């Protein structure tokens, strides 16, 4: 894997991601929003340490399937509410956060994909947080 290939994929996915509009999720009966925190989580772990390029490319490769999973999901596979750090490694603020896991088989190759969504308690919107194979 060359640095150029990684940088090109990162730039292409980021440019595309910036154009995404909210997607309705039947499983939650709410619209799901996309912000820079969700995209950055594909590149950095919760403590703000960078993911390995191979792991980042894996997640970026699944990114085009995210909206289909959110749109097609009819039930929540997993729900969790816990205290989690926000703000990266420099800020150690703990907030209560809700997480939802959605799983659907999508794409041309019928791949089982898990999408993680999150909402900080006392916030009104649910945001995309992560993606991985199911």
């Amino acid at each position: 894997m060359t640095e150029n290939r990684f940088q090109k994929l990162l730039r292409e996915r980021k440019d595309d991601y910036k154009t995404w509009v909210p997607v309705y999720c039947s499983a939650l009966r709410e619209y799901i929003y996309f912000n820079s925190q969700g995209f950055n989580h594909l590149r950095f772990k919760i403590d703000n340490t960078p993911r390995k390029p191979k792991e980042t490319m894996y997640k970026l490769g699944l990114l085009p399937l995210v909206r289909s999973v959110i749109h097609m999901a009819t039930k929540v596979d997993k729900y969790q509410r816990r205290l989690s750090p926000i703000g990266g490694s420099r800020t150690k603020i703990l907030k209560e956060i809700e997480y939802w896991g959605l799983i659907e088989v999508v794409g041309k190759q019928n791949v089982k994909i898990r999408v993680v969504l999150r909402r900080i308690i006392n916030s009104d919107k649910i945001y995309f947080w992560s993606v991985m194979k199911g």
Side-chain angles (χ1 to χ4, degrees):
M1 161 179 45
T2 67
E3 189 68 22
N4 283 342
R5 194 171 125 210
F6 173 77
Q7 292 298 329
K8 182 180 178 196
L9 180 63
L10 182 62
R11 185 181 65 253
E12 287 172 357
R13 292 293 194 250
K14 189 172 191 174
D15 289 345
D16 182 47
Y17 185 86
K18 287 178 182 179
T19 68
W20 289 12
V21 296
V23 173
Y24 187 76
C25 178
S26 297
L28 297 174
R29 296 186 181 128
E30 290 195 45
Y31 279 91
I32 307 305
Y33 296 82
F34 303 92
N35 63 8
S36 60
Q37 291 175 345
F39 189 84
N40 287 339
H41 185 66
L42 302 177
R43 297 188 53 223
F44 300 94
K45 298 177 185 176
I46 196 74
D47 64 357
N48 231 11
T49 58
R51 295 184 190 277
K52 293 179 180 169
K54 187 175 180 179
E55 182 182 4
T56 299
M57 286 190 72
Y58 160 77
K59 289 184 175 292
L60 291 173
L62 297 175
L63 198 57
L65 302 173
V66 165
R67 290 177 292 179
S68 294
V69 172
I70 292 169
H71 180 70
M72 294 172 58
T74 57
K75 65 182 177 112
V76 173
D77 178 64
K78 187 175 181 180
Y79 172 80
Q80 192 174 46
R81 186 172 174 158
R82 66 175 194 249
L83 282 175
S84 291
I86 63 165
S89 61
R90 294 185 185 138
T91 310
K92 298 293 183 195
I93 298 172
L94 292 177
K95 294 253 182 170
E96 194 168 9
I97 301 176
E98 292 179 286
Y99 293 93
W100 293 268
L102 308 174
I103 296 179
E104 279 300 323
V105 175
V106 294
K108 293 176 185 173
Q109 298 175 340
N110 291 323
V111 181
K112 187 189 276 190
I113 302 294
R114 174 184 297 272
V115 170
V116 179
L117 310 172
R118 82 174 195 163
R119 171 172 45 203
I120 298 171
I121 299 299
N122 297 327
S123 172
D124 58 341
K125 294 179 181 174
I126 299 174
Y127 291 92
F128 162 75
W129 186 241
S130 192
V131 61
M132 63 217 69
K133 286 192 178 174

